[in-house]
Amino acid sequence: MMSSMALARTTTVDVLADALRERIMGGELAPGERLIERDLVERYEVARGTVRAALRRLENEGLVTVETHRGAFVRQLDKQALRDLFELRTALELESAFRALAANDGRLPVSVHEAVDRLASACERKRPSWERISAAHADVHESIVEAGHSPRIEAAYRQLTQELTLFLLALRPVWTPAEMAAHHRKLVRELESEGPPALRRHLEEGEAAVIAGLPG
């Protein structure tokens, strides 16, 4: 008897979208860089329609911008978009941190400490991968949100994932991996000694570091 569970099929569009997503998140394709259809057709040996479908998918994910008569570009956050993103991010993370500390007698759960250790490990590798650092950084902040045990806040925070990835790409030339690790170890220490204001300060420092180099 055949299983009723359908197997996911991987299409050429899936493969191309995955390849471009990996290059964007790994920093190979920089924010603002143009994605030329002809070049992608030749590089990946696919049809132009496949390229357009993959770019539309990445546009829906918030990683690519497609403009009429100009083509596709790796999405770049401008200053106002970053401010708007951080206004919502800060509200969600601060409430989560408050709830997490209140539920654990002023301490953060082990899951947050372990996430910071994984980030430090990714940053301290001999040849650190920014893609791995970006994923580990996301895990740190997601672990803080999850520690607040609010499904509604967690769901809202997940909607910010792709834009936060763009923020991390913009942060890459600003902070070294060593600075990234140190900044988050400090965050955990100060969250447990000072409470949520330490998280607000941490987020404001990251926002200011990136916004100084953004257009608009």
Side-chain angles (χ1 to χ4, degrees):
M1 182 176 178
M2 293 183 63
S3 169
S4 60
M5 182 179 295
L7 296 175
R9 294 184 177 181
T10 301
T11 67
T12 306
V13 173
D14 295 331
V15 173
L16 179 57
D18 289 345
L20 293 175
R21 187 185 302 106
E22 183 176 350
R23 292 176 66 194
I24 292 170
M25 296 179 70
E28 182 183 346
L29 295 172
E33 185 169 344
R34 188 179 178 194
L35 301 170
I36 302 172
E37 285 187 9
R38 180 182 64 256
D39 293 347
L40 296 176
V41 166
E42 294 176 357
R43 174 174 179 141
Y44 293 101
E45 299 181 347
V46 295
R48 189 176 291 267
T50 298
V51 169
R52 290 176 177 172
L55 292 175
R56 282 195 298 271
R57 180 170 302 178
L58 295 177
E59 182 182 28
N60 290 336
E61 294 178 8
L63 291 177
V64 166
T65 298
V66 179
E67 301 179 8
T68 304
H69 305 308
R70 293 195 66 220
F73 299 82
V74 178
R75 187 179 170 200
Q76 184 172 35
L77 291 174
D78 61 25
K79 291 182 179 180
Q80 189 56 53
L82 185 65
R83 292 189 184 101
D84 292 343
L85 170 64
F86 267 69
E87 182 177 9
L88 178 55
R89 178 190 184 184
T90 299
L92 296 174
E93 289 197 33
L94 283 178
E95 176 61 20
S96 297
F98 175 83
R99 291 167 62 95
L101 292 168
N104 293 278
D105 297 322
R107 302 282 296 176
L108 292 169
V110 172
S111 58
V112 177
H113 289 269
E114 290 178 341
V116 172
D117 288 342
R118 289 193 296 272
L119 173 59
S121 178
C123 291
E124 291 162 3
R125 293 174 67 91
K126 189 173 183 179
R127 294 182 178 178
S129 158
W130 194 258
E131 184 176 3
R132 181 174 294 179
I133 290 172
S134 178
H137 172 273
D139 285 345
V140 170
H141 288 273
E142 286 169 9
S143 71
I144 293 172
V145 172
E146 290 168 1
H149 298 297
S150 170
R152 292 291 296 272
I153 291 178
E154 290 178 38
Y157 194 81
R158 281 195 294 271
Q159 299 300 312
L160 307 180
T161 300
Q162 298 298 347
E163 286 187 292
L164 290 176
T165 297
L166 293 174
F167 161 73
L168 260 293
L169 292 178
L171 190 61
R172 182 177 185 175
V174 179
W175 281 354
T176 66
E179 289 171 327
M180 178 73 78
H183 202 61
H184 286 79
R185 288 199 184 281
K186 178 183 177 185
L187 168 63
V188 170
R189 290 196 306 271
E190 294 184 347
L191 257 175
E192 294 184 332
S193 63
E194 301 177 26
L199 178 57
R200 179 183 292 278
R201 185 168 60 248
H202 170 93
L203 295 175
E204 288 175 347
E205 289 172 359
E207 179 185 6
V210 169
I211 209 167
L214 290 180

